Amino acid sequence: QVQLVESGGGLVQAGGSLRLSCWVSDRIDSINILRWNRKTSGKDRELIAAMGTFGNTHYAESVKGRFTISKDSAKKMVYLDMNSLTPEDSGDYYCSAITQIASDYEEFWGQGTHVTVSA
């Protein structure tokens, strides 16, 4: 079992920035994929940022150029830096980790942190 705990959510004005943090219980470099996902009003939960073992990244079009995923392996932390926020970015943000358990891959989730962007 991999435990993840998000923090850093809150209220920010449109155009502002926020950094979300996610503590991971396991050694980060042993995790195959680290992800940030979000659930916004009226939409299904979506993957917005991902980082592979070698640091390769992927972003959803909706956040590309504004959000950055990063990690600090020594601190077991994954970050999501969010800039130029709009009210449409408001929602619940979750980090997740995909790791190999025996011959299968399993995804573990944090409890989420809420972001509100005011107009």
Side-chain angles (χ1 to χ4, degrees):
Q1 285 278 350
V2 179
Q3 295 178 329
L4 302 102
V5 181
E6 301 95 334
S7 61
L11 175 64
V12 62
Q13 287 188 329
S17 300
L18 205 60
R19 166 175 267 201
L20 303 183
S21 301
C22 176
W23 174 81
V24 183
S25 63
D26 276 23
R27 192 168 62 90
I28 282 186
D29 292 339
S30 68
I31 293 174
N32 298 87
I33 302 175
L34 296 161
R35 292 177 166 177
W36 281 100
N37 313 267
R38 72 180 180 187
K39 175 71 171 71
T40 57
S41 178
K43 293 184 178 181
D44 294 331
R45 187 167 61 187
E46 62 173 332
L47 168 66
I48 55 173
M51 176 177 281
T53 304
F54 301 106
N56 47 309
T57 57
H58 166 80
Y59 297 94
E61 285 299 320
S62 57
V63 306
K64 194 175 290 185
R66 300 188 299 126
F67 291 11
T68 303
I69 185 172
S70 62
K71 65 180 179 180
D72 185 329
S73 299
K75 295 182 178 179
K76 295 185 176 181
M77 297 294 290
V78 183
Y79 303 104
L80 184 68
D81 288 299
M82 307 187 294
N83 299 306
S84 302
L85 287 162
T86 72
E88 288 68 36
D89 294 314
S90 297
D92 294 314
Y93 285 72
Y94 303 87
C95 66
S96 66
I98 298 176
T99 190
Q100 188 171 3
I101 307 291
S103 59
D104 290 327
Y105 288 89
E106 194 166 345
E107 187 166 19
F108 299 91
W109 293 81
Q111 83 290 347
T113 187
H114 189 75
V115 173
T116 301
V117 183
S118 62

